mmCIF file with all atom_site columns, all heavy atoms in Angstrom:
data_model
loop_
_atom_site.group_PDB
_atom_site.id
_atom_site.type_symbol
_atom_site.label_atom_id
_atom_site.label_alt_id
_atom_site.label_comp_id
_atom_site.label_asym_id
_atom_site.label_entity_id
_atom_site.label_seq_id
_atom_site.pdbx_PDB_ins_code
_atom_site.Cartn_x
_atom_site.Cartn_y
_atom_site.Cartn_z
_atom_site.occupancy
_atom_site.B_iso_or_equiv
_atom_site.pdbx_formal_charge
_atom_site.auth_seq_id
_atom_site.auth_comp_id
_atom_site.auth_asym_id
_atom_site.auth_atom_id
_atom_site.pdbx_PDB_model_num
ATOM 1   N N   . LEU F 1 17 ? 173.033 98.249  99.482  1.00 98.00 ? 17 LEU F N   1
ATOM 2   C CA  . LEU F 1 17 ? 172.929 98.049  100.859 1.00 98.00 ? 17 LEU F CA  1
ATOM 3   C C   . LEU F 1 17 ? 171.956 96.843  101.079 1.00 98.00 ? 17 LEU F C   1
ATOM 4   O O   . LEU F 1 17 ? 170.818 96.789  100.491 1.00 98.00 ? 17 LEU F O   1
ATOM 5   C CB  . LEU F 1 17 ? 172.313 99.285  101.467 1.00 98.00 ? 17 LEU F CB  1
ATOM 6   C CG  . LEU F 1 17 ? 172.378 99.507  103.032 1.00 98.00 ? 17 LEU F CG  1
ATOM 7   C CD1 . LEU F 1 17 ? 173.772 99.359  103.481 1.00 98.00 ? 17 LEU F CD1 1
ATOM 8   C CD2 . LEU F 1 17 ? 171.748 100.832 103.383 1.00 98.00 ? 17 LEU F CD2 1
ATOM 9   N N   . HIS F 1 18 ? 172.347 96.024  101.944 1.00 98.00 ? 18 HIS F N   1
ATOM 10  C CA  . HIS F 1 18 ? 171.622 94.760  102.338 1.00 98.00 ? 18 HIS F CA  1
ATOM 11  C C   . HIS F 1 18 ? 171.186 94.846  103.751 1.00 98.00 ? 18 HIS F C   1
ATOM 12  O O   . HIS F 1 18 ? 171.942 95.394  104.587 1.00 98.00 ? 18 HIS F O   1
ATOM 13  C CB  . HIS F 1 18 ? 172.436 93.396  102.150 1.00 98.00 ? 18 HIS F CB  1
ATOM 14  C CG  . HIS F 1 18 ? 172.567 92.938  100.773 1.00 98.00 ? 18 HIS F CG  1
ATOM 15  N ND1 . HIS F 1 18 ? 173.210 93.848  99.810  1.00 98.00 ? 18 HIS F ND1 1
ATOM 16  C CD2 . HIS F 1 18 ? 172.324 91.825  100.196 1.00 98.00 ? 18 HIS F CD2 1
ATOM 17  C CE1 . HIS F 1 18 ? 173.242 93.211  98.640  1.00 98.00 ? 18 HIS F CE1 1
ATOM 18  N NE2 . HIS F 1 18 ? 172.719 91.937  98.898  1.00 98.00 ? 18 HIS F NE2 1
ATOM 19  N N   . VAL F 1 19 ? 169.999 94.264  104.089 1.00 98.00 ? 19 VAL F N   1
ATOM 20  C CA  . VAL F 1 19 ? 169.753 94.093  105.560 1.00 98.00 ? 19 VAL F CA  1
ATOM 21  C C   . VAL F 1 19 ? 169.907 92.545  105.652 1.00 98.00 ? 19 VAL F C   1
ATOM 22  O O   . VAL F 1 19 ? 169.155 91.761  104.980 1.00 98.00 ? 19 VAL F O   1
ATOM 23  C CB  . VAL F 1 19 ? 168.440 94.672  105.942 1.00 98.00 ? 19 VAL F CB  1
ATOM 24  C CG1 . VAL F 1 19 ? 167.326 94.264  105.007 1.00 98.00 ? 19 VAL F CG1 1
ATOM 25  C CG2 . VAL F 1 19 ? 168.018 94.134  107.363 1.00 98.00 ? 19 VAL F CG2 1
ATOM 26  N N   . GLU F 1 20 ? 170.787 92.097  106.498 1.00 98.00 ? 20 GLU F N   1
ATOM 27  C CA  . GLU F 1 20 ? 171.192 90.702  106.640 1.00 98.00 ? 20 GLU F CA  1
ATOM 28  C C   . GLU F 1 20 ? 171.468 90.208  105.183 1.00 98.00 ? 20 GLU F C   1
ATOM 29  O O   . GLU F 1 20 ? 172.306 90.880  104.502 1.00 98.00 ? 20 GLU F O   1
ATOM 30  C CB  . GLU F 1 20 ? 170.125 89.914  107.343 1.00 98.00 ? 20 GLU F CB  1
ATOM 31  C CG  . GLU F 1 20 ? 169.922 90.387  108.737 1.00 98.00 ? 20 GLU F CG  1
ATOM 32  C CD  . GLU F 1 20 ? 169.174 89.483  109.637 1.00 98.00 ? 20 GLU F CD  1
ATOM 33  O OE1 . GLU F 1 20 ? 169.180 88.261  109.378 1.00 98.00 ? 20 GLU F OE1 1
ATOM 34  O OE2 . GLU F 1 20 ? 168.517 89.955  110.716 1.00 98.00 ? 20 GLU F OE2 1
ATOM 35  N N   . ASP F 1 21 ? 170.675 89.218  104.612 1.00 97.00 ? 21 ASP F N   1
ATOM 36  C CA  . ASP F 1 21 ? 171.147 88.729  103.328 1.00 97.00 ? 21 ASP F CA  1
ATOM 37  C C   . ASP F 1 21 ? 170.205 89.252  102.281 1.00 97.00 ? 21 ASP F C   1
ATOM 38  O O   . ASP F 1 21 ? 170.198 88.764  101.040 1.00 97.00 ? 21 ASP F O   1
ATOM 39  C CB  . ASP F 1 21 ? 170.987 87.268  103.364 1.00 97.00 ? 21 ASP F CB  1
ATOM 40  C CG  . ASP F 1 21 ? 171.932 86.528  104.217 1.00 97.00 ? 21 ASP F CG  1
ATOM 41  O OD1 . ASP F 1 21 ? 173.002 87.154  104.567 1.00 97.00 ? 21 ASP F OD1 1
ATOM 42  O OD2 . ASP F 1 21 ? 171.540 85.493  104.920 1.00 97.00 ? 21 ASP F OD2 1
ATOM 43  N N   . VAL F 1 22 ? 169.478 90.251  102.510 1.00 98.00 ? 22 VAL F N   1
ATOM 44  C CA  . VAL F 1 22 ? 168.417 90.749  101.512 1.00 98.00 ? 22 VAL F CA  1
ATOM 45  C C   . VAL F 1 22 ? 168.664 92.198  101.096 1.00 98.00 ? 22 VAL F C   1
ATOM 46  O O   . VAL F 1 22 ? 168.910 93.071  101.948 1.00 98.00 ? 22 VAL F O   1
ATOM 47  C CB  . VAL F 1 22 ? 167.053 90.702  102.189 1.00 98.00 ? 22 VAL F CB  1
ATOM 48  C CG1 . VAL F 1 22 ? 165.988 91.187  101.135 1.00 98.00 ? 22 VAL F CG1 1
ATOM 49  C CG2 . VAL F 1 22 ? 166.694 89.359  102.723 1.00 98.00 ? 22 VAL F CG2 1
ATOM 50  N N   . PRO F 1 23 ? 168.804 92.361  99.725  1.00 97.00 ? 23 PRO F N   1
ATOM 51  C CA  . PRO F 1 23 ? 169.091 93.801  99.248  1.00 97.00 ? 23 PRO F CA  1
ATOM 52  C C   . PRO F 1 23 ? 167.783 94.526  99.540  1.00 97.00 ? 23 PRO F C   1
ATOM 53  O O   . PRO F 1 23 ? 166.598 94.261  99.336  1.00 97.00 ? 23 PRO F O   1
ATOM 54  C CB  . PRO F 1 23 ? 169.340 93.573  97.821  1.00 97.00 ? 23 PRO F CB  1
ATOM 55  C CG  . PRO F 1 23 ? 169.255 92.143  97.375  1.00 97.00 ? 23 PRO F CG  1
ATOM 56  C CD  . PRO F 1 23 ? 168.683 91.411  98.687  1.00 97.00 ? 23 PRO F CD  1
ATOM 57  N N   . LEU F 1 24 ? 168.195 95.840  100.051 1.00 98.00 ? 24 LEU F N   1
ATOM 58  C CA  . LEU F 1 24 ? 167.038 96.702  100.397 1.00 98.00 ? 24 LEU F CA  1
ATOM 59  C C   . LEU F 1 24 ? 166.151 97.143  99.132  1.00 98.00 ? 24 LEU F C   1
ATOM 60  O O   . LEU F 1 24 ? 165.021 97.370  99.104  1.00 98.00 ? 24 LEU F O   1
ATOM 61  C CB  . LEU F 1 24 ? 167.452 97.971  101.000 1.00 98.00 ? 24 LEU F CB  1
ATOM 62  C CG  . LEU F 1 24 ? 167.810 97.797  102.527 1.00 98.00 ? 24 LEU F CG  1
ATOM 63  C CD1 . LEU F 1 24 ? 168.566 99.076  103.120 1.00 98.00 ? 24 LEU F CD1 1
ATOM 64  C CD2 . LEU F 1 24 ? 166.516 97.662  103.340 1.00 98.00 ? 24 LEU F CD2 1
ATOM 65  N N   . GLN F 1 25 ? 166.989 97.118  97.910  1.00 97.00 ? 25 GLN F N   1
ATOM 66  C CA  . GLN F 1 25 ? 166.268 97.315  96.605  1.00 97.00 ? 25 GLN F CA  1
ATOM 67  C C   . GLN F 1 25 ? 165.108 96.417  96.442  1.00 97.00 ? 25 GLN F C   1
ATOM 68  O O   . GLN F 1 25 ? 164.091 96.841  95.958  1.00 97.00 ? 25 GLN F O   1
ATOM 69  C CB  . GLN F 1 25 ? 167.416 97.101  95.540  1.00 97.00 ? 25 GLN F CB  1
ATOM 70  C CG  . GLN F 1 25 ? 167.180 97.514  94.204  1.00 97.00 ? 25 GLN F CG  1
ATOM 71  C CD  . GLN F 1 25 ? 167.698 98.947  93.949  1.00 97.00 ? 25 GLN F CD  1
ATOM 72  O OE1 . GLN F 1 25 ? 168.947 99.177  94.317  1.00 97.00 ? 25 GLN F OE1 1
ATOM 73  N NE2 . GLN F 1 25 ? 167.012 99.816  93.367  1.00 97.00 ? 25 GLN F NE2 1
ATOM 74  N N   . GLU F 1 26 ? 165.412 95.276  96.809  1.00 97.00 ? 26 GLU F N   1
ATOM 75  C CA  . GLU F 1 26 ? 164.296 94.074  96.470  1.00 97.00 ? 26 GLU F CA  1
ATOM 76  C C   . GLU F 1 26 ? 163.089 94.357  97.442  1.00 97.00 ? 26 GLU F C   1
ATOM 77  O O   . GLU F 1 26 ? 161.974 94.176  97.016  1.00 97.00 ? 26 GLU F O   1
ATOM 78  C CB  . GLU F 1 26 ? 164.800 92.730  96.896  1.00 97.00 ? 26 GLU F CB  1
ATOM 79  C CG  . GLU F 1 26 ? 165.481 92.118  95.709  1.00 97.00 ? 26 GLU F CG  1
ATOM 80  C CD  . GLU F 1 26 ? 165.965 90.688  95.898  1.00 97.00 ? 26 GLU F CD  1
ATOM 81  O OE1 . GLU F 1 26 ? 165.526 90.092  96.968  1.00 97.00 ? 26 GLU F OE1 1
ATOM 82  O OE2 . GLU F 1 26 ? 166.972 90.284  95.266  1.00 97.00 ? 26 GLU F OE2 1
ATOM 83  N N   . ILE F 1 27 ? 163.379 94.825  98.610  1.00 98.00 ? 27 ILE F N   1
ATOM 84  C CA  . ILE F 1 27 ? 162.250 95.095  99.602  1.00 98.00 ? 27 ILE F CA  1
ATOM 85  C C   . ILE F 1 27 ? 161.466 96.272  99.069  1.00 98.00 ? 27 ILE F C   1
ATOM 86  O O   . ILE F 1 27 ? 160.337 96.312  99.163  1.00 98.00 ? 27 ILE F O   1
ATOM 87  C CB  . ILE F 1 27 ? 162.803 95.289  100.988 1.00 98.00 ? 27 ILE F CB  1
ATOM 88  C CG1 . ILE F 1 27 ? 163.480 94.043  101.564 1.00 98.00 ? 27 ILE F CG1 1
ATOM 89  C CG2 . ILE F 1 27 ? 161.847 95.929  101.915 1.00 98.00 ? 27 ILE F CG2 1
ATOM 90  C CD1 . ILE F 1 27 ? 164.107 94.154  102.821 1.00 98.00 ? 27 ILE F CD1 1
ATOM 91  N N   . ALA F 1 28 ? 162.102 97.307  98.609  1.00 98.00 ? 28 ALA F N   1
ATOM 92  C CA  . ALA F 1 28 ? 161.452 98.444  98.036  1.00 98.00 ? 28 ALA F CA  1
ATOM 93  C C   . ALA F 1 28 ? 160.566 98.057  96.904  1.00 98.00 ? 28 ALA F C   1
ATOM 94  O O   . ALA F 1 28 ? 159.417 98.518  96.731  1.00 98.00 ? 28 ALA F O   1
ATOM 95  C CB  . ALA F 1 28 ? 162.438 99.510  97.599  1.00 98.00 ? 28 ALA F CB  1
ATOM 96  N N   . GLU F 1 29 ? 161.116 97.258  96.041  1.00 98.00 ? 29 GLU F N   1
ATOM 97  C CA  . GLU F 1 29 ? 160.270 96.825  94.902  1.00 98.00 ? 29 GLU F CA  1
ATOM 98  C C   . GLU F 1 29 ? 159.030 95.954  95.265  1.00 98.00 ? 29 GLU F C   1
ATOM 99  O O   . GLU F 1 29 ? 158.039 96.181  94.832  1.00 98.00 ? 29 GLU F O   1
ATOM 100 C CB  . GLU F 1 29 ? 161.028 95.981  93.856  1.00 98.00 ? 29 GLU F CB  1
ATOM 101 C CG  . GLU F 1 29 ? 161.884 96.847  92.972  1.00 98.00 ? 29 GLU F CG  1
ATOM 102 C CD  . GLU F 1 29 ? 163.171 96.186  92.441  1.00 98.00 ? 29 GLU F CD  1
ATOM 103 O OE1 . GLU F 1 29 ? 163.236 94.896  92.358  1.00 98.00 ? 29 GLU F OE1 1
ATOM 104 O OE2 . GLU F 1 29 ? 164.039 96.872  92.088  1.00 98.00 ? 29 GLU F OE2 1
ATOM 105 N N   . GLN F 1 30 ? 159.184 95.164  96.353  1.00 98.00 ? 30 GLN F N   1
ATOM 106 C CA  . GLN F 1 30 ? 158.153 94.267  96.658  1.00 98.00 ? 30 GLN F CA  1
ATOM 107 C C   . GLN F 1 30 ? 157.031 94.964  97.574  1.00 98.00 ? 30 GLN F C   1
ATOM 108 O O   . GLN F 1 30 ? 155.908 94.829  97.425  1.00 98.00 ? 30 GLN F O   1
ATOM 109 C CB  . GLN F 1 30 ? 158.675 93.072  97.532  1.00 98.00 ? 30 GLN F CB  1
ATOM 110 C CG  . GLN F 1 30 ? 157.621 91.963  97.716  1.00 98.00 ? 30 GLN F CG  1
ATOM 111 C CD  . GLN F 1 30 ? 158.262 90.693  98.386  1.00 98.00 ? 30 GLN F CD  1
ATOM 112 O OE1 . GLN F 1 30 ? 159.537 90.695  98.567  1.00 98.00 ? 30 GLN F OE1 1
ATOM 113 N NE2 . GLN F 1 30 ? 157.473 89.801  98.771  1.00 98.00 ? 30 GLN F NE2 1
ATOM 114 N N   . PHE F 1 31 ? 157.542 95.939  98.485  1.00 98.00 ? 31 PHE F N   1
ATOM 115 C CA  . PHE F 1 31 ? 156.608 96.483  99.456  1.00 98.00 ? 31 PHE F CA  1
ATOM 116 C C   . PHE F 1 31 ? 156.468 98.067  99.206  1.00 98.00 ? 31 PHE F C   1
ATOM 117 O O   . PHE F 1 31 ? 155.763 98.650  99.995  1.00 98.00 ? 31 PHE F O   1
ATOM 118 C CB  . PHE F 1 31 ? 157.079 96.195  100.859 1.00 98.00 ? 31 PHE F CB  1
ATOM 119 C CG  . PHE F 1 31 ? 157.181 94.716  101.116 1.00 98.00 ? 31 PHE F CG  1
ATOM 120 C CD1 . PHE F 1 31 ? 158.448 94.182  101.181 1.00 98.00 ? 31 PHE F CD1 1
ATOM 121 C CD2 . PHE F 1 31 ? 155.985 93.977  101.310 1.00 98.00 ? 31 PHE F CD2 1
ATOM 122 C CE1 . PHE F 1 31 ? 158.509 92.833  101.351 1.00 98.00 ? 31 PHE F CE1 1
ATOM 123 C CE2 . PHE F 1 31 ? 156.099 92.581  101.500 1.00 98.00 ? 31 PHE F CE2 1
ATOM 124 C CZ  . PHE F 1 31 ? 157.351 92.091  101.644 1.00 98.00 ? 31 PHE F CZ  1
ATOM 125 N N   . GLN F 1 32 ? 157.238 98.571  98.194  1.00 98.00 ? 32 GLN F N   1
ATOM 126 C CA  . GLN F 1 32 ? 157.157 99.996  98.007  1.00 98.00 ? 32 GLN F CA  1
ATOM 127 C C   . GLN F 1 32 ? 157.719 100.863 99.161  1.00 98.00 ? 32 GLN F C   1
ATOM 128 O O   . GLN F 1 32 ? 158.079 100.227 100.177 1.00 98.00 ? 32 GLN F O   1
ATOM 129 C CB  . GLN F 1 32 ? 155.711 100.574 97.664  1.00 98.00 ? 32 GLN F CB  1
ATOM 130 C CG  . GLN F 1 32 ? 155.345 100.214 96.142  1.00 98.00 ? 32 GLN F CG  1
ATOM 131 C CD  . GLN F 1 32 ? 155.004 98.711  95.953  1.00 98.00 ? 32 GLN F CD  1
ATOM 132 O OE1 . GLN F 1 32 ? 154.144 98.265  96.696  1.00 98.00 ? 32 GLN F OE1 1
ATOM 133 N NE2 . GLN F 1 32 ? 155.671 98.125  95.102  1.00 98.00 ? 32 GLN F NE2 1
ATOM 134 N N   . THR F 1 33 ? 157.714 102.136 98.978  1.00 98.00 ? 33 THR F N   1
ATOM 135 C CA  . THR F 1 33 ? 158.337 103.051 100.005 1.00 98.00 ? 33 THR F CA  1
ATOM 136 C C   . THR F 1 33 ? 157.258 104.112 100.393 1.00 98.00 ? 33 THR F C   1
ATOM 137 O O   . THR F 1 33 ? 156.370 104.336 99.626  1.00 98.00 ? 33 THR F O   1
ATOM 138 C CB  . THR F 1 33 ? 159.537 103.739 99.489  1.00 98.00 ? 33 THR F CB  1
ATOM 139 O OG1 . THR F 1 33 ? 159.155 104.217 98.160  1.00 98.00 ? 33 THR F OG1 1
ATOM 140 C CG2 . THR F 1 33 ? 160.785 102.661 99.312  1.00 98.00 ? 33 THR F CG2 1
ATOM 141 N N   . PRO F 1 34 ? 157.356 104.761 101.554 1.00 98.00 ? 34 PRO F N   1
ATOM 142 C CA  . PRO F 1 34 ? 158.360 104.475 102.630 1.00 98.00 ? 34 PRO F CA  1
ATOM 143 C C   . PRO F 1 34 ? 158.041 103.157 103.305 1.00 98.00 ? 34 PRO F C   1
ATOM 144 O O   . PRO F 1 34 ? 156.855 102.805 103.425 1.00 98.00 ? 34 PRO F O   1
ATOM 145 C CB  . PRO F 1 34 ? 158.148 105.638 103.529 1.00 98.00 ? 34 PRO F CB  1
ATOM 146 C CG  . PRO F 1 34 ? 156.762 106.275 103.243 1.00 98.00 ? 34 PRO F CG  1
ATOM 147 C CD  . PRO F 1 34 ? 156.501 105.899 101.776 1.00 98.00 ? 34 PRO F CD  1
ATOM 148 N N   . CYS F 1 35 ? 159.092 102.518 103.890 1.00 98.00 ? 35 CYS F N   1
ATOM 149 C CA  . CYS F 1 35 ? 158.905 101.272 104.483 1.00 98.00 ? 35 CYS F CA  1
ATOM 150 C C   . CYS F 1 35 ? 160.008 101.193 105.607 1.00 98.00 ? 35 CYS F C   1
ATOM 151 O O   . CYS F 1 35 ? 161.190 101.412 105.331 1.00 98.00 ? 35 CYS F O   1
ATOM 152 C CB  . CYS F 1 35 ? 159.161 100.224 103.440 1.00 98.00 ? 35 CYS F CB  1
ATOM 153 S SG  . CYS F 1 35 ? 159.051 98.477  104.012 1.00 98.00 ? 35 CYS F SG  1
#
Side-chain angles (χ1 to χ4, degrees):
L17 196 58
H18 285 56
V19 48
E20 300 193 28
D21 300 331
V22 181
L24 282 168
Q25 193 99 41
E26 274 178 20
I27 293 177
E29 277 153 28
Q30 196 176 348
F31 302 103
Q32 283 74 54
T33 51
C35 179

